[in-house]
């Protein structure tokens, strides 16, 4: 187990855990339910999302064998049948609006066992969840070719006109009935929305009108694959032709090793709406040229071109040195759709070299990290506010429009608030422009607590600002609230004096701070003051207006202080 864990790590994978069905069930549902479950050891392996070729046992084992240099990477070959003997898939005009693309291939004289069959089905499911984006981009259908005759027609019809017996069902249903049938199915109900509200549903027929499948929902029962199936017809329909080609390539390259002639795939001719034809699968090999010094520089190693070529060959990228060692020519097989750019090749070279084998060096740019001054100030203020007997709260940065406007007696247009385009809930419609609503809501949720409640928060608020590159600006605010049977204005005023004292700002007009009587919609008339420091207005303090208190479902008076602390950095 340890050796295998080590091998996975070297290959860029992670052996997540070693477990068994029994262990999994007992963890989730308790030991009672786990009785009778299998004790067979299971390896849970984390595969990176870009490596579709490792999503089944066949591909994973093949990849590890090539990596260990026990086998050479097989060469995949497509066999184009003689004129008039091959299978054809005809795409009709009607599919254009709903699922325009389709590709297909045939695996001839394949031998299935229980394990191979399970792996075949499992790979399709994993691809559906991953690259196919829950079947939205591509849906895979696999059929027993001996039960049907080509050419096959991919078309779209009204739901009432489609009638067939779905996989593992005992009777025929129309497409609309199938939708109702699977509405409660835990697995298939997630895919119904993809075509449910469309006037026509996509469907694939054979020459005699037998339904192969209704993508992306369900295959027909007639073409069901079993362990005795010898010839498999694979079709991938979708809205993204590139992804459909990749999916088809992955399936045929993984399972062609079980064909009578290993690693061969029979091609299928796809006829498009405009009459043009194309042969699938593409199984395209392509070559890229990379400079050895580019790889060495990016990874931070100094290997010879030939050893780099060997490293890449171990990663299923057959490579050799060309042109006096100036270039490495890399052949990218159809299994490696994730190789898009030279940097992907560099990454594979680094994995094969071993991340742990790369020498650690001190970077050329030598810098010493430091805390952001604004955060440092906020941290110091938090300590002093806590020492003054106030409790820190952390509230959401998003709130409803009422919280920052109506409930505080102002209009939403006056707040300059940043709005969320399509809010999921009424609670999160705008970014807060003041910390006060969060504190009032916290008190409302803690009314059972003994009085007085003394709370504070130091966090960011957000306002629109057309002069910044992102159109908005954050300000770090300090807000404190005192909630009791009497308003306690003097306590909040005392807190302001204490904050200024620790900031070393004297109480005078020249270079200190002052407060002047002011009005604010959220404050009681004649009980509000504006705070000036460093020659600018930094916030307000005062007794909260009774209307505001009732709108936040509170019953006692409270006084509040809110200032911007950024001028003091």
């Amino acid at each position: 187990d340890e050796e295998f864990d080590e091998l996975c790590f070297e290959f860029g994978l992670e052996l997540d855990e070693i477990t068994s069905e029994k262990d999994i069930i007992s963890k989730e549902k308790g030991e009672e339910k786990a009785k009778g479950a299998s004790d067979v050891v299971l390896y849970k392996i984390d595969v990176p999302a870009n490596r579709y070729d490792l999503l089944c046992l066949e591909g994973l084992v093949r990849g590890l064998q090539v990596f260990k240099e026990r086998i050479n990477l097989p060469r995949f070959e497509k066999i184009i049948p003689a004129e008039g003997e091959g299978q054809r898939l005809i795409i009709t005009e009607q599919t254009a609006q709903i699922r325009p693309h389709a590709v297909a291939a045939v695996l001839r004289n394949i031998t299935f066992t229980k394990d191979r069959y399970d792996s075949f089905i499992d790979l399709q499911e994993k691809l559906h969840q991953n690259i196919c984006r829950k079947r939205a981009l591509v849906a895979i259908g696999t059929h027993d070719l001996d039960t049907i005759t080509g050419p096959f027609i991919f078309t779209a019809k009204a739901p009432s006109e489609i009638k067939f017996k779905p996989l593992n069902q005992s009777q025929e249903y129309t497409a609309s009935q199938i939708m109702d049938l699977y509405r409660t199915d835990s697995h298939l109900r997630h895919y119904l929305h993809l075509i449910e509200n469309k006037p026509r549903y996509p469907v694939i027929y054979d020459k005699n009108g037998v339904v192969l499948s209704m993508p992306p929902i369900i295959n027909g029962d007639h073409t069901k694959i079993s362990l005795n199936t010898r010839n498999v017809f694979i079709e991938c329909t979708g809205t993204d032709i590139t992804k459909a080609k990749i999916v088809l390539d992955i399936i045929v390259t993984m399972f062609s090793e079980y064909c009578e002639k290993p690693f061969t795939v029979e091609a299928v001719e796809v006829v498009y709406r405009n009459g043009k034809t194309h042969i699938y699968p593409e199984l395209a090999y392509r070559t890229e040229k990379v400079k050895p010094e580019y790889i060495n520089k990016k990874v931070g190693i100094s290997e010879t071109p030939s050893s780099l070529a060997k490293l890449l060959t171990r990663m299923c990228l057959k490579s050799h040195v060309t042109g006096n060692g100036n270039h490495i020519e890399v052949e990218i097989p159809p299994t490696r759709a994730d190789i898009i750019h030279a940097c992907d090749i560099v990454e594979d070279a680094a994995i094969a070299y071993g991340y742990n084998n790369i020498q650690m060096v001190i970077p050329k740019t030598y810098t010493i990290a430091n805390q952001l001054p604004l955060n440092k100030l906020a941290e110091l203020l938090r300590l002093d506010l806590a020492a003054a007997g106030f409790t820190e709260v952390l509230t959401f940065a998003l709130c409803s429009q009422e919280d920052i406007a109506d409930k505080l007696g102002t209009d939403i247009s006056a707040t300059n608030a940043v709005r969320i385009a399509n809010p999921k809930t009424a609670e999160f419609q705008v970014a807060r422009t003041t910390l006060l609503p969060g504190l009032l809501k916290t008190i409302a949720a803690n009314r059972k607590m003994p009085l007085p409640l003394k709370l504070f928060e130091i966090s960011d608020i957000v306002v629109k600002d057309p002069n910044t590159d992102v159109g908005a600006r954050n300000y770090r605010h300090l807000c404190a609230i005192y909630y009791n049977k009497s308003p306690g204005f003097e306590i909040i005023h005392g807190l302001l004096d204490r904050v200024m004292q620790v900031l070393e700002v004297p109480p005078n007009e020249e270079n200190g701070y002052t407060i002047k009587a002011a009005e604010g919609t959220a404050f009681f008339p004649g009980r509000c003051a504006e705070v000036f420091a460093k020659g600018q207005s930094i916030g307000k303090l005062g007794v909260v207006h009774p209307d505001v208190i009732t709108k936040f479902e509170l019953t006692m008076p409270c006084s509040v202080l809110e200032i911007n602390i950024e001028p003091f950095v």
Side-chain angles (χ1 to χ4, degrees), residues 344-414:
D344 298 309
I345 296 171
V346 173
E347 181 191 14
D348 270 10
I351 291 171
Y353 185 80
Y355 284 172
N356 287 347
N357 300 329
I358 300 170
Q359 287 294 310
M360 287 194 184
V361 291
I362 292 174
K364 296 212 172 30
T365 49
Y366 192 63
T367 56
I368 296 170
N370 217 332
Q371 199 175 6
L372 195 69
L374 180 61
N375 288 347
K376 190 173 181 183
L377 175 69
E379 277 300 323
L380 292 168
L381 278 172
R382 285 187 181 113
L383 291 172
D384 278 305
L385 285 165
F390 282 73
T391 303
E392 184 174 18
V393 296
L394 283 170
T395 60
F396 291 118
L398 300 177
C399 59
S400 69
Q401 294 194 13
E402 285 83 50
D403 289 345
I404 56 167
D406 308 358
K407 289 185 181 176
L408 298 181
T410 56
D411 186 55
I412 186 74
S413 56

Coordinates of all heavy atoms in Angstrom, one line a residue, residues 344-414:
D344 N 1.9 22.8 -20.8 CA 1.3 21.5 -20.3 C 2.4 20.4 -20.5 O 2.5 19.5 -19.7 CB 0.1 21.2 -21.2 CG -1.0 22.2 -21.0 OD1 -1.4 22.5 -19.9 OD2 -1.6 22.6 -22.0
I345 N 3.2 20.6 -21.5 CA 4.3 19.6 -21.7 C 5.4 19.8 -20.6 O 5.9 18.8 -20.0 CB 4.9 19.8 -23.1 CG1 3.9 19.5 -24.2 CG2 6.2 19.0 -23.3 CD1 4.3 19.8 -25.6
V346 N 5.6 21.1 -20.3 CA 6.6 21.4 -19.2 C 6.1 20.8 -17.9 O 6.9 20.2 -17.1 CB 6.8 22.9 -19.1 CG1 7.6 23.2 -17.8 CG2 7.4 23.5 -20.3
E347 N 4.8 20.9 -17.6 CA 4.3 20.3 -16.4 C 4.5 18.8 -16.3 O 4.9 18.3 -15.3 CB 2.8 20.7 -16.3 CG 2.1 20.2 -15.0 CD 0.6 20.2 -15.0 OE1 0.0 20.4 -16.1 OE2 0.0 20.1 -13.9
D348 N 4.2 18.1 -17.4 CA 4.4 16.7 -17.4 C 5.9 16.3 -17.2 O 6.2 15.3 -16.5 CB 3.9 16.1 -18.7 CG 2.4 15.7 -18.6 OD1 1.8 16.1 -17.6 OD2 1.9 15.0 -19.5
A349 N 6.8 17.1 -17.8 CA 8.2 16.9 -17.6 C 8.6 17.0 -16.1 O 9.3 16.2 -15.5 CB 9.1 17.8 -18.4
A350 N 8.0 18.0 -15.5 CA 8.2 18.3 -14.0 C 7.7 17.1 -13.2 O 8.3 16.7 -12.2 CB 7.6 19.6 -13.6
I351 N 6.5 16.6 -13.5 CA 5.9 15.5 -12.8 C 6.8 14.3 -12.9 O 7.1 13.6 -11.9 CB 4.5 15.2 -13.3 CG1 3.5 16.3 -12.9 CG2 4.0 13.9 -12.7 CD1 2.1 16.2 -13.5
A352 N 7.3 14.0 -14.1 CA 8.1 12.8 -14.3 C 9.5 12.9 -13.6 O 10.0 12.0 -13.1 CB 8.3 12.6 -15.8
Y353 N 10.0 14.2 -13.6 CA 11.3 14.4 -12.9 C 11.1 14.2 -11.4 O 12.0 13.8 -10.7 CB 11.8 15.8 -13.2 CG 13.1 16.2 -12.7 CD1 14.3 15.8 -13.3 CD2 13.2 16.9 -11.5 CE1 15.5 16.1 -12.8 CE2 14.5 17.2 -10.9 CZ 15.6 16.8 -11.6 OH 16.8 17.1 -11.1
G354 N 9.9 14.6 -10.9 CA 9.6 14.4 -9.5 C 9.7 15.8 -8.8 O 10.8 16.3 -8.7
Y355 N 8.6 16.3 -8.4 CA 8.6 17.6 -7.7 C 9.6 17.6 -6.5 O 10.2 18.6 -6.2 CB 7.2 18.0 -7.2 CG 6.2 18.4 -8.3 CD1 4.9 18.6 -8.1 CD2 6.7 18.7 -9.6 CE1 4.0 19.1 -9.1 CE2 5.9 19.1 -10.6 CZ 4.5 19.3 -10.3 OH 3.7 19.7 -11.3
N356 N 9.7 16.5 -5.8 CA 10.5 16.4 -4.6 C 12.0 16.4 -5.0 O 12.9 16.6 -4.2 CB 10.2 15.2 -3.8 CG 8.9 15.3 -3.1 OD1 8.3 16.5 -3.0 ND2 8.3 14.3 -2.6
N357 N 12.3 16.1 -6.3 CA 13.7 16.1 -6.7 C 14.2 17.4 -7.2 O 15.4 17.6 -7.5 CB 13.9 15.0 -7.8 CG 13.5 13.7 -7.4 OD1 13.6 13.3 -6.2 ND2 12.9 12.9 -8.3
I358 N 13.3 18.4 -7.4 CA 13.7 19.7 -7.8 C 14.4 20.4 -6.6 O 13.9 20.5 -5.5 CB 12.5 20.5 -8.3 CG1 11.8 19.8 -9.5 CG2 12.9 22.0 -8.7 CD1 10.5 20.4 -9.9
Q359 N 15.6 20.9 -6.9 CA 16.4 21.6 -5.9 C 15.7 22.9 -5.4 O 15.3 23.7 -6.2 CB 17.8 21.9 -6.4 CG 18.7 20.7 -6.6 CD 19.1 20.0 -5.3 OE1 19.5 20.7 -4.3 NE2 18.9 18.7 -5.2
M360 N 15.7 23.0 -4.1 CA 15.1 24.3 -3.6 C 16.2 25.4 -3.6 O 17.3 25.1 -3.2 CB 14.7 24.1 -2.1 CG 13.4 23.3 -2.0 SD 12.8 23.5 -0.3 CE 11.4 22.3 -0.4
V361 N 15.8 26.5 -4.1 CA 16.8 27.7 -4.2 C 16.1 28.9 -3.6 O 14.8 29.0 -3.7 CB 17.3 27.9 -5.6 CG1 18.2 26.8 -6.1 CG2 16.2 28.1 -6.6
I362 N 16.8 29.8 -3.1 CA 16.2 31.1 -2.7 C 15.9 31.9 -3.9 O 16.8 32.1 -4.8 CB 17.2 31.8 -1.7 CG1 17.3 31.0 -0.4 CG2 16.7 33.2 -1.4 CD1 18.4 31.5 0.6
P363 N 14.7 32.5 -4.0 CA 14.4 33.3 -5.2 C 15.3 34.5 -5.3 O 15.9 35.0 -4.4 CB 13.0 33.7 -4.9 CG 12.5 32.9 -3.8 CD 13.6 32.4 -3.0
K364 N 15.5 34.9 -6.6 CA 16.4 36.0 -6.9 C 15.8 37.3 -6.3 O 16.6 38.2 -5.9 CB 16.6 36.2 -8.4 CG 17.3 34.9 -9.0 CD 18.2 35.3 -10.1 CE 19.1 34.2 -10.7 NZ 18.6 32.9 -10.5
T365 N 14.5 37.4 -6.3 CA 13.9 38.6 -5.7 C 13.7 38.3 -4.2 O 13.0 37.5 -3.8 CB 12.5 38.9 -6.3 OG1 11.8 37.7 -6.3 CG2 12.6 39.4 -7.7
Y366 N 14.5 39.1 -3.4 CA 14.5 38.8 -2.0 C 13.7 39.8 -1.3 O 14.1 41.0 -1.2 CB 16.0 38.8 -1.5 CG 16.1 38.2 -0.1 CD1 15.8 36.9 0.2 CD2 16.6 39.0 0.9 CE1 16.0 36.4 1.4 CE2 16.7 38.5 2.2 CZ 16.4 37.2 2.5 OH 16.5 36.7 3.7
T367 N 12.6 39.4 -0.7 CA 11.7 40.4 0.0 C 11.3 39.9 1.3 O 11.3 38.6 1.5 CB 10.4 40.7 -0.9 OG1 9.8 39.4 -1.1 CG2 10.7 41.3 -2.2
I368 N 10.9 40.8 2.2 CA 10.5 40.4 3.5 C 9.0 40.7 3.6 O 8.6 41.9 3.4 CB 11.3 41.0 4.6 CG1 12.8 40.5 4.5 CG2 10.7 40.7 6.0 CD1 13.7 41.3 5.4
A369 N 8.2 39.8 4.0 CA 6.7 40.0 4.1 C 6.4 40.9 5.3 O 7.1 40.9 6.3 CB 6.0 38.7 4.2
N370 N 5.3 41.6 5.1 CA 4.9 42.5 6.2 C 3.4 42.6 6.3 O 2.7 42.4 5.2 CB 5.5 43.9 5.9 CG 5.9 44.6 7.2 OD1 5.3 44.3 8.3 ND2 6.9 45.5 7.1
Q371 N 2.9 42.8 7.4 CA 1.4 43.0 7.5 C 0.9 44.2 6.9 O 1.6 45.3 7.0 CB 1.0 43.0 9.0 CG -0.4 42.6 9.2 CD -0.8 42.5 10.7 OE1 0.0 42.8 11.6 NE2 -2.0 42.1 11.0
L372 N -0.2 44.2 6.2 CA -0.8 45.4 5.6 C -1.1 46.4 6.7 O -1.7 46.0 7.7 CB -2.1 45.0 4.8 CG -2.6 46.0 3.9 CD1 -1.7 46.1 2.6 CD2 -4.0 45.6 3.4
P373 N -0.6 47.6 6.6 CA -0.7 48.6 7.7 C -2.2 48.8 8.1 O -2.5 48.8 9.3 CB -0.2 49.9 7.1 CG 0.7 49.5 6.0 CD 0.2 48.2 5.5
L374 N -3.1 48.7 7.2 CA -4.6 48.9 7.5 C -5.0 47.7 8.4 O -5.7 47.9 9.4 CB -5.4 49.0 6.3 CG -6.9 49.2 6.5 CD1 -7.2 50.5 7.3 CD2 -7.7 49.2 5.2
N375 N -4.6 46.5 8.1 CA -5.0 45.4 8.9 C -4.3 45.4 10.2 O -4.9 45.0 11.2 CB -4.6 44.1 8.1 CG -5.5 43.8 6.9 OD1 -6.5 44.4 6.8 ND2 -5.1 42.9 6.1
K376 N -3.1 45.9 10.3 CA -2.4 45.9 11.5 C -3.1 46.9 12.5 O -3.4 46.6 13.7 CB -1.0 46.4 11.3 CG -0.1 46.3 12.5 CD 1.4 46.6 12.2 CE 2.2 46.4 13.4 NZ 3.6 46.8 13.1
L377 N -3.5 48.1 11.9 CA -4.3 49.1 12.7 C -5.6 48.5 13.2 O -5.9 48.6 14.4 CB -4.5 50.3 11.9 CG -5.4 51.4 12.5 CD1 -4.6 52.0 13.7 CD2 -5.8 52.5 11.5
A378 N -6.3 47.8 12.3 CA -7.6 47.2 12.7 C -7.4 46.2 13.8 O -8.2 46.2 14.8 CB -8.2 46.5 11.5
E379 N -6.4 45.4 13.7 CA -6.1 44.4 14.8 C -5.8 45.0 16.1 O -6.4 44.6 17.2 CB -4.9 43.5 14.4 CG -5.2 42.4 13.5 CD -6.2 41.4 14.0 OE1 -6.2 41.1 15.2 OE2 -7.0 40.9 13.3
L380 N -5.0 46.1 16.1 CA -4.7 46.8 17.4 C -6.0 47.5 18.0 O -6.2 47.4 19.2 CB -3.6 47.9 17.1 CG -2.2 47.3 16.8 CD1 -1.3 48.4 16.2 CD2 -1.6 46.6 18.0
L381 N -6.8 48.0 17.1 CA -8.0 48.7 17.6 C -9.0 47.6 18.2 O -9.6 47.9 19.2 CB -8.7 49.4 16.4 CG -8.2 50.8 16.1 CD1 -8.8 51.4 14.9 CD2 -8.5 51.8 17.3
R382 N -9.0 46.4 17.5 CA -9.9 45.4 18.1 C -9.5 45.0 19.5 O -10.4 44.9 20.4 CB -9.8 44.1 17.2 CG -10.5 44.2 15.9 CD -10.5 42.9 15.1 NE -11.2 43.1 13.8 CZ -10.6 43.1 12.6 NH1 -9.3 42.8 12.6 NH2 -11.3 43.3 11.5
L383 N -8.2 45.0 19.8 CA -7.8 44.6 21.1 C -8.2 45.7 22.1 O -8.7 45.4 23.2 CB -6.2 44.5 21.2 CG -5.6 43.3 20.4 CD1 -4.1 43.4 20.4 CD2 -6.1 42.0 21.1
D384 N -8.1 47.0 21.7 CA -8.4 48.1 22.6 C -9.9 48.2 22.9 O -10.4 48.5 23.9 CB -7.9 49.4 22.1 CG -6.4 49.5 22.5 OD1 -6.1 49.4 23.8 OD2 -5.5 49.7 21.7
L385 N -10.7 47.9 21.8 CA -12.2 48.0 21.9 C -12.7 46.8 22.8 O -13.6 47.0 23.7 CB -12.9 47.9 20.6 CG -12.8 49.2 19.7 CD1 -13.2 48.9 18.3 CD2 -13.7 50.2 20.3
A386 N -12.0 45.7 22.7 CA -12.4 44.5 23.6 C -12.0 44.8 25.0 O -12.7 44.5 25.9 CB -11.6 43.3 23.1
A387 N -10.8 45.5 25.2 CA -10.4 45.9 26.5 C -11.4 46.9 27.2 O -11.5 47.0 28.4 CB -9.0 46.5 26.5
A388 N -12.1 47.6 26.3 CA -13.1 48.6 26.8 C -14.4 48.0 27.1 O -15.4 48.7 27.4 CB -13.2 49.7 25.8
G389 N -14.5 46.6 27.0 CA -15.7 45.9 27.4 C -16.7 45.7 26.3 O -17.8 45.2 26.5
F390 N -16.2 45.9 25.1 CA -17.1 45.6 23.9 C -16.8 44.3 23.3 O -15.6 43.8 23.3 CB -17.0 46.7 22.9 CG -17.7 48.0 23.2 CD1 -17.2 48.9 24.2 CD2 -18.9 48.4 22.6 CE1 -17.9 50.0 24.6 CE2 -19.5 49.5 22.9 CZ -19.1 50.4 23.9
T391 N -17.8 43.6 22.8 CA -17.7 42.3 22.2 C -17.7 42.4 20.7 O -18.5 43.0 20.1 CB -18.9 41.4 22.6 OG1 -18.9 41.4 24.0 CG2 -18.7 40.0 22.1
E392 N -16.7 41.7 20.0 CA -16.6 41.8 18.6 C -17.6 40.9 17.9 O -17.8 39.8 18.3 CB -15.2 41.4 18.1 CG -15.1 41.6 16.6 CD -13.7 41.4 16.0 OE1 -12.8 40.8 16.7 OE2 -13.4 41.9 14.9
V393 N -18.2 41.4 16.8 CA -19.1 40.6 16.0 C -18.6 40.6 14.6 O -17.9 41.5 14.2 CB -20.6 41.0 16.0 CG1 -21.2 40.9 17.4 CG2 -20.7 42.4 15.5
L394 N -18.9 39.5 13.8 CA -18.6 39.5 12.4 C -19.9 39.3 11.7 O -20.5 38.3 11.9 CB -17.6 38.3 12.1 CG -16.2 38.6 12.5 CD1 -15.4 37.3 12.4 CD2 -15.5 39.7 11.6
T395 N -20.3 40.2 10.8 CA -21.6 40.1 10.1 C -21.3 40.0 8.6 O -20.2 40.3 8.1 CB -22.5 41.2 10.4 OG1 -21.9 42.4 10.0 CG2 -22.8 41.3 11.9
F396 N -22.3 39.6 7.9 CA -22.2 39.4 6.4 C -21.9 40.8 5.7 O -22.5 41.8 6.1 CB -23.5 38.8 5.8 CG -23.7 37.4 6.2 CD1 -24.8 37.0 6.9 CD2 -22.8 36.4 5.8 CE1 -25.0 35.7 7.3 CE2 -22.9 35.1 6.2 CZ -24.1 34.7 6.9
A397 N -21.1 40.7 4.6 CA -20.8 41.9 3.9 C -22.0 42.3 2.9 O -22.0 43.4 2.4 CB -19.5 41.7 3.1
L398 N -22.9 41.3 2.7 CA -24.0 41.6 1.9 C -25.3 41.7 2.8 O -25.4 41.0 3.8 CB -24.3 40.4 0.9 CG -23.1 40.2 -0.1 CD1 -23.5 39.0 -1.0 CD2 -22.9 41.4 -1.0
C399 N -26.2 42.5 2.3 CA -27.4 42.7 3.1 C -28.6 43.0 2.1 O -28.4 43.2 0.9 CB -27.3 43.7 4.2 SG -26.9 45.3 3.6
S400 N -29.8 43.2 2.7 CA -30.9 43.5 1.8 C -30.9 45.1 1.6 O -30.4 45.8 2.4 CB -32.2 43.0 2.4 OG -32.5 43.8 3.6
Q401 N -31.7 45.5 0.6 CA -31.8 46.9 0.3 C -32.4 47.7 1.5 O -32.0 48.8 1.8 CB -32.6 47.2 -1.0 CG -31.9 46.7 -2.2 CD -32.6 47.2 -3.5 OE1 -33.4 48.1 -3.5 NE2 -32.2 46.6 -4.6
E402 N -33.4 47.0 2.1 CA -34.1 47.7 3.2 C -33.2 48.0 4.4 O -33.2 49.0 5.0 CB -35.2 46.8 3.8 CG -36.5 46.7 2.9 CD -36.3 45.7 1.8 OE1 -35.9 44.5 2.1 OE2 -36.6 46.0 0.7
D403 N -32.2 47.0 4.6 CA -31.3 47.2 5.8 C -30.5 48.5 5.7 O -30.3 49.1 6.7 CB -30.3 46.0 5.8 CG -31.0 44.7 6.3 OD1 -32.1 44.8 6.8 OD2 -30.4 43.6 6.1
I404 N -30.0 48.8 4.5 CA -29.2 50.0 4.4 C -29.9 51.3 4.0 O -29.4 52.4 4.0 CB -28.0 49.8 3.5 CG1 -28.5 49.4 2.1 CG2 -27.0 48.8 4.0 CD1 -27.4 49.5 1.0
A405 N -31.2 51.1 3.6 CA -31.9 52.3 3.1 C -33.2 52.5 3.9 O -33.2 53.3 4.8 CB -32.3 52.1 1.6
D406 N -34.3 51.8 3.6 CA -35.6 52.1 4.2 C -35.6 52.0 5.7 O -36.1 52.9 6.4 CB -36.6 51.0 3.7 CG -36.7 50.9 2.2 OD1 -35.9 51.7 1.5 OD2 -37.4 50.1 1.6
K407 N -34.9 51.0 6.3 CA -34.9 50.9 7.7 C -34.1 52.0 8.4 O -34.3 52.3 9.6 CB -34.3 49.5 8.1 CG -35.3 48.3 7.8 CD -34.7 47.0 8.3 CE -35.6 45.9 8.0 NZ -35.0 44.6 8.4
L408 N -33.1 52.6 7.7 CA -32.4 53.7 8.2 C -32.9 55.0 7.8 O -32.3 56.1 8.1 CB -30.9 53.6 7.8 CG -30.1 52.3 8.3 CD1 -28.7 52.3 7.9 CD2 -30.2 52.1 9.8
G409 N -34.1 55.0 7.1 CA -34.7 56.3 6.8 C -34.1 57.0 5.6 O -34.3 58.2 5.5
T410 N -33.3 56.3 4.8 CA -32.8 57.0 3.5 C -33.3 56.3 2.3 O -33.9 55.2 2.4 CB -31.3 57.1 3.5 OG1 -30.8 55.7 3.6 CG2 -30.7 57.9 4.6
D411 N -33.0 56.9 1.1 CA -33.4 56.3 -0.1 C -32.3 55.5 -0.7 O -31.1 55.8 -0.5 CB -33.8 57.4 -1.1 CG -34.4 56.8 -2.4 OD1 -35.3 56.0 -2.3 OD2 -33.8 57.1 -3.5
I412 N -32.6 54.3 -1.3 CA -31.5 53.4 -1.8 C -30.6 54.2 -2.8 O -29.4 53.9 -2.8 CB -32.1 52.1 -2.4 CG1 -31.0 51.1 -2.8 CG2 -32.9 52.4 -3.7 CD1 -30.4 50.4 -1.6
S413 N -31.1 55.1 -3.6 CA -30.3 55.8 -4.6 C -29.2 56.7 -3.9 O -28.2 57.0 -4.4 CB -31.1 56.7 -5.5 OG -31.9 57.5 -4.7
A414 N -29.5 57.2 -2.7 CA -28.6 58.1 -1.9 C -27.5 57.3 -1.3 O -26.5 57.9 -0.9 CB -29.4 58.8 -0.9

